[in-house]
Amino acid sequence: MIRIANYINGQYQAPLTNSYIPNYNPSDGAIYGDIPDSDASDVQAAYKAAETAFPEWSTSTLEERSKIMLRIAELLDENLQKFAEAESKDNGKPVSLAKVVDIPRAASNFRFFGNAITQFSSESHESTGLNAVNFTLRQPIGVVGCISPWNLPLYLFTWKIAPAIAAGNCVVAKPSEVTPMTAYLLGEICTQAGLPEGVLNIVHGLGGSTGQAITEHPKIKAISFTGGTATGAHIARIAAPMFKKLSLELGGKNPNIIFADCDYDDMLQTTVRSSFANQGQICLCGSRIFVEASIYEKFKTDFVEKVNALKVGHPSKEDTNIGALVSKSHLEKVKSYIDIAKSENGKVLAGGEEVTVDGFENGYYLAPTVIEVSSDECRVNQEEIFGPVVTIMPFTSEDEVLQMANKVKYGLSATLWTNNLKRTMRMSQSLQAGIVWVNTWMMRDLRTPFGGVKESGVGREGGFEALRFFTEPKNVCIKY
Ligand code: NAD
C-alpha cells in the first residue's frame, strides 16, 4: 500500500484532515494505496506557503527560473521509467504509451516554458505628437490555482504549472483524485531541482472539497482548469462573481472527416490512433468519423479489420495497444453508451464487450468499439463518451459533412483528410473548433494556441497565450 502526501512549502505533509481516500489500480481493480482527502484547511496551508514564496519568486531573474525549470525537465527525463510505470498503474494506460507520450511531454512542458519565458515580451507604443510613450508591464498574478483531470495526468498537470511558475506566480495545484501518483512524485523532483519552497504546492483530494476550496479561495486570483464541461460550468459560476481570471479546457466530441482524395493508408493508420489512443480517453480523440460515400464500404472493412487486430491487455505488456479504462464507474458509463447506441439502431461493427485479461479478471477492460450510426443526431454522436468508442457514417457532400461536424455543443478539435487545398482552406475556416488538423492528428507544437470553442472551453493555453493568461497586463504611459 502506498500512502501519498500533500506537497506544501517544499515538504511532504499528511492532510490536516487526517482522512484518506482509496486509490485503485485499473488494471486489476485492486486498491493499491490511499491519497489525502484534503479540505479547505489544507488548501489554506498551501495558499499561505504560496503567498509567502511569491515576493521572492516573482522578482527572481528569468535566468534563475529558467535554470530550475530546465533542471526539472532533466530530472523527469532521468526518471522516465519510474514515472511511466507510476502513470500506467494509476491510469491503466500502457506503460509504452506513458514512456513516449505522457512523461516526455511533461518534461517538455517544463523545458518549453523555461525557455519561452526568456523570450516573452510585451508591446510599447510611441504616442507621436503627444510626447508620450506607452508600454505594457506583464506582471505575475500572484497565487493561482491549477486543477487537472485523469486522462493525461502529469502531462496536463504540468501544462498548467509550468507556464504559471515561469511567469512568476506561485501555485496551489490539484491533480485528479483518480490519478494522483505522478503529481505526488513531482514534488520530490521539484525539491531536487531547487525550486524554492512554496512556489508549487500540491494538494490532493476530491473535486467537491479540495477543488472547490481552491476555486472558492478569495485570494487565489486565477483558476486554470481542465476537465469536464459540467465541472467547468460549476467553477465558472463560483469564479465569475469573484472576478477571477479563468482558463477552461473542457470536453469534446471531435469530428474526423475523411474525403476520398486523401492519402488512404496514412489516414487509416492515423484514424486507428485518433480513435483509440489512451483507450480513447483523450479530449482530442476523433470520436465521430465521417467518411465520403465513395470510399465508405472500403473504409469500413479496412478499419474494422485494423481495430479488431488491436490487442487489449495488461498495461505493463509491451504488445498491449489498449490498456484498462481509468475506473470502474467510467467503464460502466462507457458501456452504457454502447447500450444507448443499440437502442438507437446503431450497429456494433467491432468490440462492444468487456474483455477479460488472464490473471487480471477484475481490471476495467473494454474492446475498442466501432458503431455504425444512421443519424448524426443520435446520442452517441452528440454526447462525449470519452472511451474506446467511435461512430462511423457516410456523407455525400462537403456542405453536408460540415453541418454534421458543427452540429454538436462542443468545439475542441477537428481532423480533416483531403489533398484538396481549396477545400482544406474552406473547411478550416468553417469548422467550429479551436484546433483543425489536416492530414494528421495530435501533432503538437507547444507554441500554438490550444483550446476550444462553444462548450469545449474558454481561453487558450500554449505558448505565449499561456504566459499571457498567467500575467496581468498593465499599461504605463509616460509623458516626456
Ligand atoms: P472532471 O471535471 O470530473 O474533473 C477534473 C478535475 O476537476 C479533477 O481534478 C476533479 O477533482 C476536479 N473537480 C471536480 N469537481 C470540482 C469542483 N466542484 N470544483 C473544483 N474542482 C473540481 O473531469 P475528469 O473526469 O477528470 O476528466 C475528463 C474530462 O476532461 C472530459 O470531459 C475531457 O474531455 C476533459 N478534458 C479536456 C481537455 C482539454 O484540453 N479540453 C483535456 C483533457 C480532458
Side-chain angles (χ1 to χ4, degrees), residues 148 150 174 177 207 211-212 225-228 231 234 250-251 283 384:
S148 59
W150 50 254
K174 190 194 97 61
E177 62 274 27
Q212 182 90 6
F225 169 81
T226 298
T231 316
H234 175 80
L250 310 175
C283 54
E384 185 184 44

Side-chain angles (χ1 to χ4, degrees), residues 290 344 373-383 393 404 407-408:
F290 298 105
E344 290 181 320
V373 292
S374 51
S375 157
D376 67 297
E377 290 184 352
C378 60
R379 281 184 65 192
V380 277
N381 231 46
Q382 290 289 321
E383 297 175 21
M393 66 176 288
M404 293 195 293
K407 213 194 303 163
V408 291

Side-chain angles (χ1 to χ4, degrees), residues 147-152 156 174-178 205-213 215 225-232 234-235 238 248-252 281-284 384 386 412 450-452 456 461:
I147 302 175
S148 59
W150 50 254
N151 64 323
L152 299 166
L156 291 174
K174 190 194 97 61
S176 169
E177 62 274 27
V178 187
L206 299 169
S209 47
T210 315
Q212 182 90 6
T215 312
F225 169 81
T226 298
T229 293
T231 316
H234 175 80
I235 288 175
I238 297 168
L248 301 174
E249 299 292 342
L250 310 175
Q281 301 167 140
I282 302 182
C283 54
L284 305 164
E384 185 184 44
F386 212 58
L412 189 54
F450 178 88
S456 288
E461 298 188 296

Side-chain angles (χ1 to χ4, degrees), residues 255 257 402 405-406 414-416 426-433 436:
I257 303 168
L402 188 61
N406 287 342
T415 303
L416 187 60
R426 278 195 303 269
M427 296 281 289
S428 301
Q429 283 163 344
S430 305
L431 281 163
Q432 295 167 356
V436 178

Side-chain angles (χ1 to χ4, degrees), residues 2 77 101 145 161 164 192-193 214 232 353 372 409 436 480:
I2 307 171
D77 286 341
V101 176
I161 290 166
Q192 268 182 50
I214 294 173
E353 304 284 341
E372 184 175 48
K409 64 182 184 178
V436 178
Y480 56 85

Side-chain angles (χ1 to χ4, degrees), residues 288-321:
R288 292 182 293 147
I289 305 177
F290 298 105
V291 187
E292 195 164 9
S294 60
I295 58 164
Y296 184 72
E297 289 304 323
K298 175 174 167 51
F299 172 82
K300 196 162 99 176
T301 309
D302 295 346
F303 184 58
V304 167
E305 189 187 311
K306 280 215 177 296
V307 172
N308 282 333
L310 291 173
K311 180 150 189 327
V312 179
H314 192 269
S316 66
K317 296 258 165 61
E318 268 303 313
D319 62 348
T320 291
N321 303 116

